[in-house]
Amino acid sequence: MLFSRSAAVRTPAEIAVMRRAGRVVAEMHDRIRVAIAPGVSTGELDRIGREVLRDRGATSNFLGYHGYPAVICASPNSMVVHGIPSDDTILREGDIISIDCGAVVDGWHGDAAFTAPVGEVPPEALRLIEVTHASLDAAIEVMVAGNRLGDIGHAVSSVAEAAGFSVVEGYTGHAIGRAMHESPNVPNVGRPATGPKLRAGNVLAVEPMLVIGDPDTDVLDDDWSVVSADGTWAAHAEHTIAITENGPEVLTLP
Ligand code: MF3
Ligand code: CO
């Protein structure tokens, strides 16, 4: 991308605060992950997220974002991202569920997502989940100062395509810091050695969104829920990652 801007450079002290925000997000993940089971509503998962935010004195970057009504996104099955949690959405055995969480600590943002099976799920759905997380791991590996933004998207799409899956079109990751979404976007496709150079101090939210079938998506009537157009399973994984002198540091880990 010829005119894509470089991401802001953060000081070690700023990254230390972002690490605290990231740990809150990781705790939301941990608490929600163990609650995922057949019969549990996504509204209940959102309440768990609210509890963690309250206990840690953190605030939500999702709640109120363009009017968004919850602190997590919960996107089952063919839903790719931005599913609104509800007491009426009950997880069932065989579902897969993507959970996206964010937190703000002292004005600095964290953002991360995972996809998990609900009980026993078909092997192909499990493989989609594994490959989506593996594509994020591959992206993190190339997040080294001196590499370029296009290396990240190339890493994601290489893993996805080698497995026979598609990268969702039209949605990207993003730089993150004092706002959840900062410039530049971080696409999940890219050409190696192209785009702005990655620098120590850049902090990026990388978020592969993969589908089994066609990469086209639709937005439902609630104006939020993004679903795969062909109705096949979708998975999402995301971490907030700092590029440091010593390589990538995932900030959204416990
Ligand atoms: N975590 C999402 C992202 O990575 C944003 C969630 S949309 C919101 O861009 F409305 F829920 F905030
Ligand atoms: Co994000």
Side-chain angles (χ1 to χ4, degrees):
M1 253 186 255
L2 206 50
F3 301 110
S4 187
R5 280 180 40 201
S6 298
V9 170
R10 309 301 183 184
T11 66
E14 291 170 334
I15 289 174
V17 186
M18 293 192 75
R19 192 179 294 120
R20 288 167 53 214
R23 291 211 169 128
V24 175
V25 175
E27 189 176 342
M28 294 169 81
H29 279 197
D30 287 348
R31 289 273 311 278
I32 289 169
R33 192 190 306 275
V34 297
I36 290 172
V40 173
S41 74
T42 58
E44 176 60 21
L45 301 180
D46 187 66
R47 281 191 287 279
I48 293 169
R50 287 174 197 250
E51 253 177 51
V52 173
L53 289 167
R54 189 199 57 208
D55 291 351
R56 298 295 162 226
T59 57
S60 176
N61 36 14
F62 288 19
L63 186 66
Y65 180 85
H66 294 281
Y68 189 75
V71 304
I72 71 167
C73 301
S75 308
N77 299 321
S78 65
M79 205 174 285
V80 183
V81 287
H82 302 168
I84 300 173
S86 163
D87 291 342
D88 298 329
T89 303
I90 313 284
L91 300 177
R92 290 169 316 173
E93 177 96 18
D95 285 346
I96 67 172
I97 179 77
S98 300
I99 301 291
D100 194 343
C101 300
V104 186
V105 170
D106 289 347
W108 293 88
H109 290 244
D111 183 8
F114 68 93
T115 302
V118 181
E120 289 269 321
V121 306
E124 190 68 345
L126 214 49
R127 196 170 72 89
L128 176 70
I129 293 172
E130 283 164 6
V131 169
T132 302
H133 285 270
S135 73
L136 175 56
D137 293 341
I140 293 168
E141 257 180 53
V142 301
M143 293 180 68
V144 171
N147 282 351
R148 290 178 185 271
L149 198 66
D151 293 314
I152 295 175
H154 184 254
V156 169
S157 60
S158 299
V159 171
E161 280 157 22
F165 298 135
S166 307
V167 172
V168 165
E169 286 172 4
Y171 296 88
T172 68
H174 46 95
I176 180 168
R178 287 189 194 277
M180 176 163 58
H181 293 143
E182 296 188 350
S183 181
N185 288 334
V186 179
N188 292 315
V189 296
R191 281 194 299 129
T194 63
K197 248 188 193 162
L198 304 177
R199 300 170 65 189
N202 290 160
V203 184
L204 305 176
V206 180
E207 44 183 317
M209 289 154 260
L210 269 54
V211 288
I212 297 242
D214 194 273
D216 287 348
T217 55
D218 293 318
V219 177
L220 299 185
D221 283 341
D222 63 13
D223 285 338
W224 280 104
S225 308
V226 178
V227 296
S228 68
D230 65 7
T232 57
W233 285 300
H236 178 210
E238 176 179 22
H239 271 307
T240 297
I241 303 128
I243 295 165
T244 78
E245 307 283 0
N246 305 315
E249 181 190 344
V250 179
L251 302 180
T252 37
L253 283 177

